[in-house]
Amino acid sequence: MKLVASIRLFPDAEQSATLRETLERCNAACDWLAEIGASAGKTRQYDLHHMAYADLRARFGLTAQVAVRCIGKVADAFKVGDKDETRTFHRHAAQPYDDRIFRFLPGQDAVSIWTLAGRQRIPFVCGDRQREMLTRAKGQVDLMFVRGKWLLAVTCDVDEAPAYVPINVRGIDFGVVNIVVDDLGRTQSGAQIDDVRRRQHSRRRALQKLGTRSAKRALRRASGKQARFQRHTNHVLSKAIVLDAERGRSAVALENLEGIRDRVQANRRQRRRLHNWGFHELRSLIEYKARLRGVPVDLVDPRNTSRQCSCCGLIDKRNRPSRDEFKCIGCGVAAPADHNAALNIRQRALTARGMVVPPQVAIRLSGCVSHKESRLL
Ligand SMILES: [Zn+2]
């Protein structure tokens, strides 16, 4: 599996200025190339190369391999969207490097990297996990300048652990009240996150009203801060879910939401989730952490997971008196709606694996309220 390790470069002041100039020059070259590519109707790497390679090098003073990387970057940008429109590159957009213009210096925490002032030796700092990943670096790196820091994003090939044969399945539901609920009814509340979001939202409103230049700057910072907070939360949650499953030698079961966008059956709840980027990120983090640790991930049919009774199997719209509650009109079982959904997700994965357990037993096994007790709720 391919993963990206981020390492931080520590250039001295002079090197930093050179790196910045290099990055800006490369992006100016990409802008120029994109524009003539779009107007000539040539957007493929091969065509761009033949049309503009020599010109690109001469105009912007790039070495052969740097020019090749710029052409590749522009061709990649043309792969999405309208071919007739040009692409513009931020002056500090990430610049790809390969092993002809960049290398790790053996035995030193430093890299040798091409700049407009020739090759530079620049030290870096990274954590133990990254250092281990770097031994599997694949040769392609991206130079980035983010919030005043120089970073290298290094693509590494990481071994996946072979998936074990699970003896149990953990059903995971993503909700709105609770971000994560499993079939044992354990929740990771969204309260803390909502709190931070609300605070940040009101701060943004206030800044928008002000409209001054410094307010705009603060706004940009705030939006980055929120994204980082969400990302951090998703990392913590996904790690907890995967480690918990590993301890119990369980598979993790999630709703399969791929391709559902085209299906008419996607209900409002599923649509809202599909368009919620935070959940998309959380799902993919769970999937990749699980692959690293050999935890099997089962994707189950998402239809009616919120309407079906996890106890008797009855599917009815009226089983959901409100967004947060589930109460079966057939057998009377009541539970938080997302817990009921997590139980259904688990049950579907068990069935698909041929680990069939009668519904009632499944509930008792998974620590949910028993059939009788739940009537009292
Ligand atoms: Zn029921």
Side-chain angles (χ1 to χ4, degrees):
M1 178 176 20
K2 289 208 166 41
L3 287 180
V4 175
S6 286
I7 60 176
R8 183 159 172 207
L9 295 179
F10 285 91
D12 62 30
E14 198 177 323
Q15 287 175 324
S16 182
T18 307
L19 279 179
R20 192 192 280 245
E21 206 185 321
T22 305
L23 198 55
E24 287 170 3
R25 182 83 64 87
C26 288
N27 282 309
C30 289
D31 265 344
W32 174 82
L33 180 63
E35 199 173 328
I36 64 162
S39 58
K42 297 195 169 170
T43 59
R44 293 188 310 154
Q45 178 152 11
Y46 176 89
D47 297 331
L48 287 168
H49 191 109
H50 279 262
M51 180 176 69
Y53 170 78
D55 230 8
L56 189 70
R57 286 193 61 184
R59 248 172 214 269
F60 294 93
L62 306 177
T63 67
Q65 202 56 25
V66 175
V68 167
R69 294 269 68 99
C70 285
I71 293 166
K73 178 165 146 186
V74 172
D76 277 347
F78 273 122
K79 278 179 191 158
V80 262
D82 195 348
K83 303 269 181 235
D84 303 329
E85 257 173 54
T86 184
R87 303 292 188 269
T88 54
F89 296 84
H90 186 273
R91 69 201 164 96
H92 294 149
Q95 177 66 21
Y97 275 76
D98 62 31
D99 49 14
R100 286 196 245 180
I101 40 183
F102 164 89
R103 68 191 177 97
F104 286 101
L105 296 171
Q108 316 170 35
D109 278 358
V111 299
S112 163
I113 187 166
W114 177 88
T115 70
L116 291 173
R119 276 183 178 264
Q120 301 281 322
R121 179 194 175 278
I122 300 177
F124 68 78
V125 164
C126 71
D128 288 343
R129 205 177 77 90
Q130 271 100 343
R131 193 183 309 280
E132 198 191 307
M133 279 169 69
L134 290 183
T135 60
R136 314 283 190 103
K138 292 301 279 178
Q140 154 112 34
V141 304
D142 282 319
L143 176 67
M144 302 194 292
F145 188 57
V146 184
R147 297 191 303 280
K149 294 171 187 158
W150 288 102
L151 300 171
L152 276 179
V154 186
T155 308
C156 306
D157 215 353
V158 174
D159 285 342
E160 291 169 35
Y164 53 72
V165 177
I167 55 167
N168 199 350
V169 175
R170 267 300 64 95
I172 304 288
D173 186 59
F174 303 133
V176 175
V177 185
N178 295 298
I179 294 185
V180 173
V181 180
D182 73 4
D183 59 274
L184 303 177
R186 294 176 299 182
T187 61
Q188 296 288 348
S189 149
Q192 187 213 358
I193 290 170
D194 281 345
D195 207 42
V196 173
R197 275 199 188 137
R198 214 172 305 121
R199 252 195 342 257
Q200 288 172 344
H201 181 73
S202 59
R203 185 172 139 75
R204 268 202 305 280
R205 289 281 292 275
L207 288 167
Q208 268 158 1
K209 263 194 198 145
L210 266 174
T212 62
R213 194 184 294 175
S214 73
K216 278 180 189 152
R217 215 167 30 235
L219 259 173
R220 262 203 308 279
R221 267 203 309 274
S223 83
K225 210 165 154 188
Q226 180 176 352
R228 286 194 298 282
F229 174 75
Q230 180 173 308
R231 194 168 170 76
H232 172 74
T233 308
N234 280 343
H235 263 293
V236 172
L237 292 178
S238 55
K239 187 172 175 188
I241 289 167
V242 170
L243 289 182
D244 177 67
E246 191 185 27
R247 271 196 296 274
R249 228 176 156 70
S250 302
V252 173
L254 308 170
E255 285 181 310
N256 183 6
L257 294 179
E258 243 162 68
I260 204 173
R261 208 183 295 247
D262 312 322
R263 295 217 308 249
V264 189
Q265 293 101 318
N267 62 28
R268 212 186 326 157
R269 172 171 171 266
Q270 287 158 343
R271 274 203 306 271
R272 190 178 53 220
R273 275 192 211 166
L274 277 173
H275 297 295
N276 189 323
W277 178 81
F279 285 117
H280 178 76
E281 182 190 63
L282 180 56
R283 292 172 63 86
S284 52
L285 283 173
I286 292 173
E287 288 184 35
Y288 110 74
K289 285 179 207 245
R291 280 169 76 185
L292 279 179
R293 305 193 73 91
V295 176
V297 173
D298 295 353
L299 300 178
V300 306
D301 187 342
R303 276 172 296 180
N304 295 316
T305 47
S306 61
R307 287 179 182 169
Q308 184 170 27
C309 174
S310 58
C311 194
C312 72
L314 177 75
I315 297 174
D316 197 296
K317 218 195 268 187
R318 290 169 294 170
N319 284 348
R320 285 284 296 278
S322 75
R323 195 191 67 178
D324 307 340
E325 303 170 74
F326 182 90
K327 194 167 193 312
C328 179
I329 59 164
C331 73
V333 151
D338 41 15
H339 183 192
N340 180 68
L343 281 163
N344 284 330
I345 292 166
R346 171 174 187 261
Q347 186 58 45
R348 287 175 193 198
L350 284 170
T351 308
R353 285 187 170 269
M355 298 163 75
V356 185
V357 187
Q360 277 88 343
V361 180
I363 286 183
R364 206 175 309 129
L365 268 181
S366 63
C368 175
V369 282
S370 76
H371 195 136
K372 211 168 159 191
E373 286 167 333
S374 60
R375 281 178 189 278
L376 302 173
L377 289 177

